Amino acid sequence: MNTPAPLSVDQAEHRVLGWQRKLHRWAGEDAGRRFDDIHNLVCDPATLLVAWERVKRNRGSKTAGVDGQTRASIERRGVERTLSELGQALKDRTYAPQPVREHMIAKRGGKTRSLGIPALRDRIVQMAAKLVLEPIFEADFCPTSYGFRPRRRARDAVAEVALFVNPPRSYEWVIEGDVEDCFGSIHHGLLMAKVRRRVTDKRVLGLIRQFLAAGIMREQGPVATPSGTPQGAILSPLLANVALSVLDRHFEAAWTSARNRYQRAQARAKGQASYRLVRYADDFVVLVRGSEAQAQALKERTAEFLRDELRLTLSPEKTHITHVDAGFDFLGFRILRKARPGRKPAAYIFPNQRAFGDVKHRIKELTRPDTTYLSLDELIHALNPVLRGWTNYFREAASARAFSYLSHYLWWRVMLWLRKKYPRLTWKQIKRKYWGRRWSGPNGARLVWPADVPVTKYTYRGHHITSPWATPATNEATSQPEAAGV
């Protein structure tokens, strides 16, 4: 008997992309369609191979779960053998995920956040499930949702907010919303009910339930998870979006009930407020064109809706009502509308104080006196990812002044670090030896200099962000230019 030749990565990618396009097209053509036979796609060798390729490219593949396995250990054992065993276990329904390993991350104010690290084998299966489920649910997600979705990013969400703050829309009030412990509080029963609106394959539903009920491995032993989805698991962001999309559709229905800006203007003339939701994962803002009292009433209705529909609560510490002229924070950006002499007011977008404080704190931690055992090259290699990531995130905002000041702060921190490392050298000797064209190590490593990062103009994409699985005809049909109306 001839055995089929193993798939190459390119062949697997091509095959999976074909399935995803079909699933996405079918879901978009029929909003009531339910998928009852997709488990075979999750088990397929091509899906598992693509899942492995994506998991191994992540830096987290070097971090082990409760089983102690990393990318290197799976490669030593044999990738093809591991994927074959996973596929057979999924087909036989003998696969059982292991508890996620808990890792606590320090937060501001002395608080900590729990991060779940699944076993690497479970990450592969979760990625395979995501490859199949994501194209289906993406057809249902509203365009005002931006977090953890393909081809969408935080800057798109911030630009959507600025669009409604700027004239001629000129929304006056903003509700800064934050769902309290969203990932840890999602109700399993309510979540599964929303998944079943699209997926009725019992084997896939059972697989999702297994991941939700896998538990957390803590120091005292495994702990059950009656609610929530582990933050850090590959499937968790998609499941959180499935749950929170109920909130998106609730606001979208209110928005589309007035079919155009003229009907919304008529409603405002009758004393009704216009409002628009923009959400990124569990962070969202509701922009209100009306009075502060109407914004307060809308905040209470939103809290009630989340409590009744999802059994989630708004964080009282992080949920505020602010006038846009006073400025507000969203996703690390500060959005502030300012008057301009002789011109219409405009929203200015720049890094907020917390984001700036975080990067300064990170630089300070890396240049502490107890890190002088590092060489300058090693210090530069530790600082560069922090600086590169922070400046790339904020480069499409009004960040030139922030980048300039960060360079000033960085110069002094590195200089003081070198003074501690080489106490016998004077300031002039250090500058002559290491400054040159920005700080550079003896082996040629150069520090990313924030002031040299060009600030670029963001191109608004709005509701024309295309799906990676949609055909051009589908993209044209699903675009909603009116969604950005007044």
Side-chain angles (χ1 to χ4, degrees):
M1 184 177 67
N2 294 327
T3 58
L7 285 170
S8 69
V9 176
D10 290 340
Q11 289 173 326
E13 290 275 5
H14 180 73
R15 182 182 296 183
V16 171
L17 181 59
W19 295 337
Q20 290 178 319
R21 283 176 174 167
K22 288 181 180 179
L23 292 170
H24 185 72
R25 186 178 73 249
W26 293 337
E29 290 173 348
D30 185 0
R33 178 164 184 164
R34 296 187 175 187
F35 295 82
D36 58 358
D37 189 18
I38 56 175
H39 185 258
N40 60 316
L41 299 181
V42 178
C43 308
D44 193 275
T47 309
L48 292 171
L49 179 57
V50 173
W52 161 252
E53 288 295 319
R54 298 195 182 183
V55 168
K56 81 173 187 179
R57 287 199 297 261
N58 194 300
R59 286 186 300 176
S61 63
K62 299 178 181 179
T63 305
V66 295
D67 60 353
Q69 287 193 335
T70 62
R71 169 187 171 179
S73 59
I74 285 184
E75 288 175 338
R76 284 195 302 269
R77 185 175 184 271
V79 173
E80 187 176 347
R81 176 184 173 186
T82 301
L83 298 184
S84 177
E85 291 175 355
L86 281 176
Q88 192 61 46
L90 288 168
K91 290 177 183 178
D92 298 341
R93 304 189 71 175
T94 58
Y95 167 79
Q98 296 177 293
V100 299
R101 181 169 67 86
E102 186 179 50
H103 177 65
M104 304 304 294
I105 299 176
K107 294 176 64 177
R108 284 176 174 265
K111 297 181 179 180
T112 57
R113 181 180 67 186
S114 174
L115 182 69
I117 303 175
L120 197 59
R121 293 164 62 91
D122 296 337
R123 278 177 256 176
I124 296 170
V125 177
Q126 287 196 36
M127 180 61 77
K130 181 184 176 184
L131 289 170
V132 177
L133 293 173
E134 191 173 38
I136 297 172
F137 288 106
E138 271 292 321
D140 296 335
F141 291 157
C142 294
T144 52
S145 165
Y146 291 91
F148 304 113
R149 295 182 59 190
R151 296 185 179 175
R152 290 168 174 259
R153 52 197 179 99
R155 190 63 182 85
D156 296 322
V158 172
E160 184 75 5
V161 172
L163 179 73
F164 284 88
V165 168
N166 283 329
R169 295 159 186 86
S170 301
Y171 280 54
E172 295 95 356
W173 298 95
V174 59
I175 304 170
E176 304 173 59
D178 182 271
V179 181
E180 190 168 18
D181 188 23
C182 177
F183 283 85
S185 303
I186 291 177
H187 190 277
H188 289 176
L190 295 175
L191 172 60
M192 293 305 301
K194 292 167 180 56
V195 173
R196 281 193 294 269
R197 289 180 64 250
R198 276 300 198 176
V199 177
T200 56
D201 190 323
K202 293 183 179 180
R203 296 163 295 177
V204 174
L205 294 174
L207 187 62
I208 296 174
R209 287 195 199 95
Q210 283 184 301
F211 284 125
L212 292 175
I216 299 175
M217 181 63 72
R218 292 179 175 160
E219 292 182 0
Q220 63 270 26
V223 178
T225 50
S227 65
T229 176
Q231 191 167 359
I234 290 174
L235 205 54
S236 293
L238 176 61
L239 296 177
N241 271 332
V242 170
L244 292 173
S245 62
V246 179
L247 180 66
D248 302 335
R249 287 193 291 270
H250 174 71
F251 276 87
E252 194 75 13
W255 176 260
T256 54
S257 61
R259 288 174 291 179
N260 54 52
R261 59 183 180 180
Y262 303 108
Q263 290 185 353
R264 283 187 279 273
Q266 290 175 354
R268 287 193 297 271
K270 296 177 183 178
Q272 302 174 15
S274 295
Y275 49 90
R276 188 66 165 157
L277 171 86
V278 179
R279 183 177 65 83
Y280 189 96
D282 58 339
D283 291 324
F284 66 89
V285 294
V286 181
L287 299 156
V288 182
R289 190 168 180 178
S291 65
E292 184 177 8
Q294 289 173 323
Q296 181 63 40
L298 183 60
K299 172 187 171 184
E300 294 171 1
R301 292 201 303 271
T302 303
E304 183 179 353
F305 179 84
L306 284 170
R307 185 172 57 252
D308 295 343
E309 295 293 327
L310 297 171
R311 301 187 189 178
L312 298 174
T313 58
L314 288 179
S315 172
E317 300 175 354
K318 300 179 181 179
T319 305
H320 312 284
I321 296 176
T322 313
H323 196 279
V324 295
D325 291 343
F328 59 96
D329 296 331
F330 186 47
L331 304 178
F333 292 88
R334 183 73 175 172
I335 305 172
L336 175 64
R337 189 172 66 189
K338 288 186 177 182
R340 300 182 297 173
R343 294 184 291 174
K344 294 180 179 179
Y348 289 82
I349 303 170
F350 48 91
N352 65 17
Q353 290 186 356
R354 178 171 180 172
F356 200 76
D358 286 344
V359 71
K360 287 172 60 180
H361 175 74
R362 187 69 180 129
I363 293 171
K364 187 175 181 179
E365 287 295 308
L366 290 173
T367 55
R368 288 166 57 94
D370 57 4
T371 64
T372 51
Y373 65 90
L374 298 171
S375 67
L376 181 56
D377 286 276
E378 291 172 330
L379 176 67
I380 290 172
H381 286 306
L383 285 169
N384 277 351
V386 176
L387 299 168
R388 191 177 291 112
W390 196 86
T391 53
N392 284 340
Y393 185 81
F394 291 106
R395 68 186 302 172
E396 292 180 318
S399 305
R401 181 178 294 182
F403 289 177
S404 177
Y405 180 78
L406 186 61
S407 296
H408 170 79
Y409 180 82
L410 181 64
W411 190 95
W412 277 104
R413 290 303 309 179
V414 176
M415 173 59 83
L416 292 173
W417 183 87
L418 287 169
R419 285 281 290 166
K420 287 285 185 180
K421 186 174 180 65
Y422 304 110
R424 295 184 179 182
L425 296 181
T426 65
W427 290 76
K428 288 185 178 180
Q429 289 172 326
I430 290 175
K431 287 179 66 177
R432 188 183 305 117
K433 187 173 182 179
Y434 297 110
W435 173 239
R437 294 182 58 201
R438 315 298 184 233
W439 296 117
S440 57
N443 296 325
R446 288 195 175 274
L447 196 62
V448 171
W449 202 244
D452 290 344
V453 176
V455 174
T456 58
K457 184 179 180 180
Y458 172 82
T459 302
Y460 177 76
R461 303 193 298 160
H463 297 245
H464 301 285
I465 302 173
T466 58
S467 164
W469 312 290
T471 62
T474 308
N475 286 331
E476 184 178 351
T478 56
S479 62
Q480 303 178 31
E482 212 288 313
V486 178

